[in-house]
Amino acid sequence: MSLIQTPEQLADAIVTDPERVAACLGRIHRFGGQVPNCTVLRHSLEVYHRIDADPDSSDAARLWALLHDCHEILTGDVVRPYVNARLRMDQQAIDDAIVRRLPLCLPQPESMSWESVVAADRAVGEFEILQIQQGRAPYELYTFAVASWARLVRGFIERRAGT
């Protein structure tokens, strides 16, 4: 197995090996690794569930909810006060590569679908911080998270590709 080192490799892995991508996300703990059971994978699933609960959400928004933090496989999870302009540009370039790889499946950054995922992402982050401040882990250990994430991503991509 080779390392995923470029945005293009990450975008390809999402399509060809979503289980691997999910496993990577499951090893990245949020808030600089400070909180047990609060991984980027669980966070992404929670953002997905918020989007999925809205009957007006598109499949593109649902898929982007799952993928919105995949760039952290390459950049790591950085606590918000330390995210600088260079990191934002790098993360955007990674996101752009993912959108280019899946142009028929994902919303464009300026779309309402993208904005709804940004809002859900912020709401989930606020929930996580509130739980942490109250001395609670945001999530219970969820052993099927990798399989669930990969199954959802694969399903969206296959439906869109007509396979």
Side-chain angles (χ1 to χ4, degrees), residues 26-141:
R27 288 188 291 269
I28 303 169
H29 288 267
R30 297 207 4 105
F31 308 106
Q34 299 178 67
V35 185
N37 298 337
C38 191
T39 65
V40 175
L41 178 66
R42 285 292 289 131
H43 169 82
S44 296
L45 283 166
E46 288 303 313
V47 173
Y48 166 80
H49 290 307
R50 284 193 183 231
I51 295 296
D52 192 47
D54 178 356
D56 293 330
S57 291
S58 66
D59 278 353
R62 289 178 178 89
L63 179 57
W64 186 244
L66 293 166
L67 302 179
H68 78 279
D69 277 340
C70 281
H71 54 248
E72 291 182 8
I73 291 172
L74 298 175
T75 67
D77 180 69
V78 178
V79 181
R80 186 162 289 148
Y82 297 97
V83 174
N84 60 32
R86 172 63 194 262
L87 180 60
R88 282 193 208 319
M89 285 178 22
D90 289 345
Q91 289 177 335
Q92 185 60 55
I94 297 165
D95 291 347
D96 290 347
I98 294 168
V99 171
R100 278 193 309 275
R101 179 67 168 87
L102 297 165
L104 300 177
C105 298
L106 293 174
Q108 295 303 306
E110 64 278 358
S111 73
M112 290 302 293
S113 291
W114 191 284
E115 291 174 15
S116 68
V117 174
V118 169
D121 180 35
R122 284 193 182 118
V124 169
E126 289 169 7
F127 162 77
E128 292 166 345
I129 290 170
L130 181 63
Q131 294 294 344
I132 293 162
Q133 288 172 337
Q134 294 175 354
R136 296 191 294 258
Y139 309 111
E140 296 298 319
L141 185 61

